[in-house]
Amino acid sequence: MSSSQNALTSETSPYLLQHADNPVQWYPWGEEALQLAHETGKPILLSIGYSACHWCHVMAHESFEHDDPRALMNERFINIKVDREERPDLDKIYQTAHQLLTNRPGGWPLTMFLTHDAQVPFFGGTYFPREPRYGMPSFADILNQVADFYRDNRSDIDKQNTPLLDALEKINTPHLYSSGSNEITIETLDQAYRELKKSIEPEHGGFGRAPKFPHCTSLERLLRHWSATGDNEALESATFTLRKMALGGLFDHLGGGFCRYSVDNQWMIPHFEKMLYDNGPLLSIYSEAWQITHEPLFRRTAEETARWVIREMQSPEGGYFSTLDADSEGHEGIFYVWHPETIKEVLETEQYELFSRHFGLDRKANFEGSWHLHCYADDETLSKEFMLDIDSVRQQLDGARETLFRLREHRVHPGRDEKVLTAWNGLMIKGMAVAGRIFDNSAFIDSAERALNFIRHNLWKDGRLFASHKDGQARLMGYLDDYAFLLDALLELLQVRWSRNDLDFAIALADVLLEHFEDKENGGFFFTADDHEALIQRPKPLGDESTPAGNGIAAYALNRLGQLLGEERYLNAARRTLDAAAPMISEMPHRHNALLLDVESSVYPSQMLVLRGNEEELRSWQQLVARQYSPRRLAFPIPSDETNLPGALAERTLRGDFTAYLCSGNACSSPITAKGALATLKQQLDTPD
């Protein structure tokens, strides 16, 4: 290893490799670094970030590549760099600890200072500037003060750490410390809706003020609340926000896909990084919004997002890559922005005028002297102003966008993090399966199957999942989200194209969840397996974060798989998860939307439809079921030649040419074979709830 390199050079994470040439003596989290801290007595400086993180890059350039901070870091600390996408277990623990220590939310970069022997945090923050500004001291001053305090006040630090560790433990078992019955009823769902409704920003949609994130689980809750109750205000709240996001600068109007968040209330200027974990759920939501409303905007947004993923985020081997960076050529957003003169040169005069009015090129620059595309006039407005029919407007705009997309392709593209993360792939596989089913698009379904095959062949080894794949290596034992999100995706994909191998894979994932992740004493699921590295906490995440809570998706998926197979073990595990989470759900239901999916299943009867017949007959039924948004209905088309099915499915045999089995809640009807009964069932399924 050269003098300019550190211990990160052998890592596969693009984020860690970005720091391999730092003059800081970085180590990855592992035995070597932890043992060195123990031997030297130096506190640990833990820095957590990810490759597409703009402020991570800023702090690296300001502090990790300059002499003053670098010398102090190397002299007084053992420095550990962590990719939060590879080690979400560490990120969850230390983000929670940061919030407990500072009473403020965390973020990235996360900068935490840990004891040398037990890795317990005693001080921390996020971004620290190299020079004093933003009301913060310089990073060098922070380093000196922390090191001096650690040297002189170990007993005080140990006293502080005891209540911190107690608080971390209590987070995992809220039901042991709560008072009251914490009963979950239909009122819990209604309360969640009321809280979400209060937080909706009336002018531009979204939840709260800037910075604005999509909050996919909240949007899904609004759609499901409308489906269950018929409350049109819930539907309007969701579709209003979805329109604003799709028309705003959060969406890439040339290439498809959404950026991570908007820095303003109008959804105009995003933080330009694109994350797979946002776009998978957004693909599902926009597809379902079209299924409800048939608004062309929703279909176009969903289809362009899916095509972007297939084109730019799917590896030749099938797995989906993780992120696109916010920066290119050293500047944030430069890949996406324009100047009117450039666009005038490549569009016809009438086409340019239409495009300019639509995307605000006739207004002042909106991003650092450049124009980032944001819709100011919708298709109907343009039709009236330019005296063109709607179809002509759309054709002109589509042609202009295609021209500019081809021109943009010649620019230097943002960096791409080519890790394949199992959990995030699960979210996108589900999104592709939902979009493929609703739009009857085989390319989307093929994409999902290719990603699933990649995971099965590269990240499923000896009956266990790995979390990350890069450069031909599968690394890090899988976490709760890996199993839960992939199981959820498999149940969606099985409704599109039946595969016995996929069903067996789903059962295997469910069994690992119960064997290695379930808290058999208190209920729920830990984030790490029982044979995972021992850390200061074994998290049990209940609340939604940037992705849905693993406990919520695990309970929801196990409940549905349990109903399909008649498997009580899965149903009981789901029920125990809700019991364990009840105090947190009751206190803030709108922060636990993933868990509310299973709450909804216990309050409103779900519907399970198993169809047996030939391929042509099954396809016609699939098309029928896809017409209607029915989030509590599962429909599994099983070919007539499929035999030796497990559990309750063994009883769902073919009787005659075609057979339908319908269960609602815990009650199942007799097999439906008579043409008259089938016709009645078809009419029922084709009628809105």
Side-chain angles (χ1 to χ4, degrees), residues 61 71 208 296 360-361 457 515 555 601 605:
H61 295 319
L361 302 180
H457 293 142
E515 181 179 355
S601 298

Side-chain angles (χ1 to χ4, degrees), residues 19 49 98 103 259 305 339 383 435 461 574 591 593 651 665 672:
H19 295 82
H98 172 274
N103 200 30
C259 296
T305 296
H339 286 91
S383 175
K461 299 179 184 296
R591 299 287 180 86
N593 289 307
E651 303 169 10
I672 303 171

Side-chain angles (χ1 to χ4, degrees), residues 280-307 430-445 492 496-497 619 622-628:
L282 284 167
L283 176 55
S284 296
I285 290 168
Y286 274 94
S287 300
E288 290 168 344
W290 177 83
Q291 190 181 34
I292 296 167
T293 66
H294 285 264
E295 288 190 31
L297 172 66
F298 295 155
R299 179 166 192 155
R300 180 172 68 82
T301 302
E303 291 180 333
E304 290 185 4
T305 296
R307 287 196 288 267
K430 179 178 181 178
M432 285 289 184
V434 169
R437 172 172 55 84
I438 290 173
F439 299 125
D440 196 19
N441 189 310
S442 61
F444 299 167
I445 300 168
E492 192 63 50
V496 183
R497 289 183 184 171
R619 180 164 175 76
Q622 284 180 288
Q623 292 172 338
L624 170 71
V625 172
R627 290 179 194 169
Q628 184 185 337

Side-chain angles (χ1 to χ4, degrees), residues 207-213 215 261-265 267:
F207 303 93
R209 309 288 292 178
K212 280 187 173 177
F213 292 81
H215 292 298
Y261 66 87
S262 171
V263 302
D264 56 73
N265 285 324
W267 303 103

